[in-house]
Amino acid sequence: MPSRPHRALLPLAAGLAAALAACTGSSPAPGPAPLVATAQVDPAALLPRELTADQQVSQALSRLTFGPRPGDAQRVRAMGVDQWIDLQLHPERIDDPAVARLLAQLPTLAMSASDLEEKYPPPAQVLARLRRPNGRDSALSAADSQELRRVGREANRPVAELVTSRVARATVSERQLQEVMTDFWENHFTVYVAKGPRERYFLVDYDRDVIRPSALGKFRDLLGAVAASPAMLFYLDNWESVADSAHPTLAAAREPRFGVLRPGRGGTRIFAPGAIVPPGAYRRPNAPALPGGRPRPIGINENYARELLELHTLGVDGGYTQQDIIEVARAFTGWTIAPPRLGGGSLFRPETHDAGPKTVLGHKLPFGRGVEDGEDVLDIVARHPATAHFIALKLARRFVSDTPPAELVDRAAATFTRTDGDIREVVRTIVTSPEFFSRAAWRAKVKSPFEVVVSAVRAMGAEPDLTPRTAQVVNRLGQPLFGHQAPNGWPETGEAWMNTGAILNRINFGLAVAAGRLPGVTLDRWGPAAALRDTTREAQVDGVVAAILGGAVSPDTRAVMLSGEHPLLAAGRLPADSAMAMGADSAGVPDMMAPDDPPGRPDRRDARRLMRDAALRPNARGGPAFGPLPALSGLAQVLGLALGSPEFQRR
């Protein structure tokens, strides 16, 4: 947070920003914090920065990338940190040949959901076909059983290649900020891969066509793409939400029968309302039965509406009511998914849409409309002041600290409102701010398991792993990709990742990397190894600290690296007074359940509690994440202890 003298400089800074914005074609002034004149400059960005020039480079690389690779700091320093930030904010300007090469080796990533489902069908579907070849039940032959096992393995291929690509892209992409923002939004708009058998086919499109294109674009475009995506429609059950018997629906259009939902108004096919069907006249054909043969009730499903307001836009304190949730759910009736034979995409069915009038957050939606109801709701919530604050807070938490300064959040929210939800400019406000470059923000964020693994691979200068093995290491550290069951996503604050078992596993992970247990990672390929291998222990420690830990570590960390003896590994537990504990509160088990969860929803609270426990266990089985490691010595031991140190676990 700027000091009082800094705040007093804001009017002067605003004047300088205006002068810079009026200039064109001039080069940025030299200095430790050059300005970018290609976009409107936040006046606060002109205030003094507390970090040194080298620390600013390290801070930018640790927050806007998944960790520096060998040589990155020198390249950013030569370009200038602000010019580099501006370039990362425009990924379309950055060539990324390494990603193009790796995507060519993962063919499922270019396929549609319907093509994936046809080529890699669910095992249950194949089993039913094998058991009823002629309309009669029959026993499986040995060949049938072998075929079923093959189908079971192949059915996982789309998800395996997707999670492999997530790790590989984060490792080698030059468009690092886009990768960081893709990770942020895929957690914000989380989807659970095991929701049902069709979800695995929707996730490839979700990553490729929904999240990535808008990760630094307009929030309204991203929100609309998510709302219309089969992945979200399926995950939060909106695909089966239809008007209840008390409300009128729209008559189905004859030609064409289906309307394709696309992000934004311009690409959405709007059905002419036609006749209004009286309340109670519509009955969905072939509604799947509940256990015991009871018919499934016809009516709205509130799941998506609730999470749209609470988790995607306004936030739990955003000022909405239960009646708003019901009205939003009514507005999204008819937003559903086509069967595979019709392409498996998202559809709008007018005959299932509640055509009655609605009121959402004080805005009236007229009688007799169709898909426009949902589009209007997205407009309303995307431009709501509570959404501006909620998204600004989450982005500031991601980039600055778990408890970002209120003044920074307010400025970022103002940018959100002024730019009509331009994510790029909101991020710019945050990552060029004095708060971002403050001593309070320095190493203030604890890495998630995904960040730990990818940053270690990047620090070692390794080639991308095109097998699922590195992604499986992320799983073992407690964060399976697309594996969070509840819609609130993985924890955003450090305390959730830090208990005794998790810290021990991160230390063991560092040793496993140095031992060559990660695909593509070897000590011989690490650039500084040749110069450090035959030097003294003290020189090795100094070299590793400079190359991996930004040149500065605590006395405790240096002592561990010099001695080769780690107190946590020796004792098998976390000493209460150890500086290795990564913070006074890190050993506690936090309650991830939001304190303001509405009453009467035990299913959601239980899901959050279960996911909290799963995230904090060393792995799904509750045992150690890594097996016995070989005894390390010399440079490998120093490097392994550095990768497991508190300094490396923070960004």
Side-chain angles (χ1 to χ4, degrees):
M1 179 182 302
S3 64
R4 290 185 182 275
H6 286 178
R7 287 199 296 270
L9 291 173
L10 277 173
L12 175 60
L16 289 172
L20 280 169
C23 296
T24 58
S26 58
S27 300
L35 297 171
V36 179
T38 57
Q40 182 172 345
V41 179
D42 184 345
L46 297 171
L47 297 176
R49 296 175 177 177
E50 294 178 344
L51 300 182
T52 67
D54 284 348
Q55 287 174 333
Q56 289 180 42
V57 170
S58 179
Q59 180 79 335
L61 283 169
S62 71
R63 302 296 174 88
L64 277 64
T65 80
F66 284 104
R69 298 167 299 179
D72 276 354
Q74 293 87 335
R75 286 188 286 271
V76 174
R77 192 177 297 113
M79 179 183 292
V81 68
D82 285 271
Q83 283 88 344
W84 179 82
I85 289 173
D86 184 61
L87 183 62
Q88 285 294 318
L89 285 165
H90 292 276
E92 70 280 1
R93 301 176 185 173
I94 303 173
D95 291 333
D96 213 5
V99 166
R101 288 193 297 270
L102 75 86
L103 293 180
Q105 300 177 66
L106 301 171
T108 63
L109 301 184
M111 298 173 66
S112 68
S114 58
D115 289 342
L116 289 171
E117 192 164 358
E118 181 180 355
K119 187 169 184 178
Y120 308 104
Q125 184 183 107
V126 177
L127 176 62
R129 187 176 71 242
L130 292 173
R131 280 184 168 169
R132 298 179 64 85
N134 299 308
R136 299 176 306 215
D137 289 334
S138 61
L140 294 181
S141 66
D144 290 340
S145 298
Q146 184 176 1
E147 171 66 6
L148 196 59
R149 286 192 293 271
R150 184 195 68 78
V151 167
R153 290 192 300 270
E154 286 292 290
N156 291 323
R157 184 171 178 181
V159 173
E161 291 196 354
L162 177 59
V163 298
T164 295
S165 74
R166 281 283 310 277
V167 175
R169 292 175 80 142
T171 299
V172 303
S173 177
E174 297 296 331
R175 300 171 179 176
Q176 277 288 294
L177 182 55
Q178 184 178 45
E179 291 302 315
V180 169
M181 291 303 298
T182 296
D183 180 63
F184 174 84
W185 291 122
E186 289 190 351
N187 195 54
H188 180 82
F189 296 111
T190 191
V191 170
Y192 180 46
V193 66
K195 165 71 176 183
R198 296 192 69 190
E199 193 69 84
R200 71 184 71 180
Y201 307 113
F202 298 143
L203 281 175
V204 170
D205 170 87
Y206 191 64
D207 176 88
R208 180 191 64 218
D209 298 332
V210 175
I211 301 296
R212 288 185 180 277
S214 297
L216 282 164
K218 290 284 190 174
F219 180 75
R220 172 61 179 87
D221 293 339
L222 176 59
L223 187 68
V226 169
S229 68
M232 188 60 71
L233 289 167
F234 188 78
Y235 172 54
L236 291 180
D237 305 311
N238 202 81
W239 70 281
E240 58 181 7
S241 184
V242 300
D244 61 31
S245 58
H247 293 92
T249 62
L250 298 176
R254 293 187 177 182
E255 294 293 341
R257 184 178 177 187
F258 301 104
V260 181
L261 291 173
R262 297 294 185 195
R265 290 182 177 275
T268 303
R269 173 171 290 167
I270 307 297
F271 276 87
I276 300 297
V277 181
Y282 173 72
R283 290 292 183 270
R284 182 173 55 175
N286 303 320
L290 294 171
R294 293 178 289 111
R296 185 179 294 275
I298 300 294
I300 63 171
N301 186 301
E302 297 177 11
N303 287 354
Y304 174 68
R306 187 180 305 278
E307 309 313 345
L308 172 67
L309 300 180
E310 178 180 338
L311 298 176
H312 296 176
T313 57
L314 306 180
V316 69
D317 298 318
Y320 62 89
T321 67
Q322 174 60 28
Q323 187 59 40
D324 285 318
I325 293 172
I326 294 172
E327 298 289 271
V328 170
R330 292 177 59 210
F332 281 100
T333 50
W335 291 50
T336 188
I337 304 169
R341 63 185 174 81
L342 294 174
S346 52
L347 303 173
F348 176 71
R349 288 184 180 267
E351 71 272 21
T352 70
H353 177 68
D354 183 334
K358 309 165 187 73
T359 302
V360 175
L361 297 169
H363 296 263
K364 295 187 181 300
L365 308 182
F367 174 85
R369 302 194 311 165
V371 73
E372 304 100 319
D373 282 347
E375 296 285 358
D376 275 359
V377 168
L378 296 176
D379 286 342
I380 292 165
V381 297
R383 297 179 172 95
H384 197 283
T387 298
H389 184 272
F390 183 61
I391 299 302
L393 174 61
K394 290 196 69 171
L395 286 168
R397 184 178 293 141
R398 173 67 181 241
F399 286 108
V400 178
S401 69
D402 289 356
T403 54
E407 290 184 6
L408 174 62
V409 175
D410 290 344
R411 294 202 310 274
T415 299
F416 186 102
T417 300
R418 185 184 70 250
T419 63
D420 194 25
D422 190 321
I423 300 166
R424 185 193 333 271
E425 295 311 314
V426 177
V427 173
R428 187 193 303 276
T429 294
I430 293 169
V431 303
T432 61
S433 69
E435 292 91 343
F436 179 82
F437 291 110
S438 68
R439 292 188 182 92
W442 178 252
R443 287 179 175 168
K445 291 291 296 182
V446 173
K447 295 176 183 177
S448 68
F450 182 72
E451 292 167 334
V452 167
V453 172
V454 176
S455 63
V457 176
R458 284 175 61 81
M460 296 297 293
E463 291 296 315
D465 178 18
L466 295 182
T467 76
R469 290 172 59 194
T470 303
Q472 289 165 359
V473 175
V474 180
N475 293 4
R476 289 201 294 272
L477 287 175
Q479 191 188 11
L481 298 177
F482 302 107
H484 198 283
Q485 182 178 359
N488 59 328
W490 292 108
E492 299 166 338
T493 56
E495 63 178 5
W497 297 114
M498 289 293 103
N499 67 356
T500 303
I503 294 172
L504 287 170
N505 273 327
R506 289 178 179 223
I507 296 168
N508 281 325
F509 165 74
L511 297 172
V513 173
R517 292 289 181 86
L518 222 56
V521 180
T522 64
L523 188 60
D524 291 338
R525 296 187 60 176
W526 184 53
L532 295 175
R533 195 184 299 274
D534 296 326
T535 59
T536 65
R537 182 78 172 198
E538 290 79 4
Q540 289 176 345
V541 170
D542 289 340
V544 170
V545 168
I548 299 293
L549 301 178
V553 293
S554 70
D556 283 353
T557 296
R558 181 175 290 276
V560 166
M561 294 171 67
L562 284 170
S563 68
E565 297 179 1
H566 201 298
L568 273 68
L569 296 178
R573 61 183 177 84
L574 183 67
D577 59 349
S578 173
M580 307 300 287
M582 298 183 65
D585 299 327
S586 59
V589 178
D591 186 356
M592 282 172 54
M593 185 179 71
D596 295 322
D597 267 355
R601 296 173 60 196
D603 55 333
R604 179 162 170 193
R605 292 196 295 269
D606 291 346
R608 286 185 172 180
R609 190 174 294 111
L610 288 170
M611 292 313 298
R612 172 199 69 195
D613 296 340
L616 296 177
R617 283 199 299 269
N619 65 14
R621 296 184 176 86
F626 299 96
L629 296 172
L632 298 178
S633 60
L635 180 60
Q637 185 186 63
V638 173
L639 181 61
L641 292 170
L643 293 173
S645 69
E647 288 84 356
F648 190 79
Q649 301 304 310
R650 290 186 176 273
R651 57 179 179 88

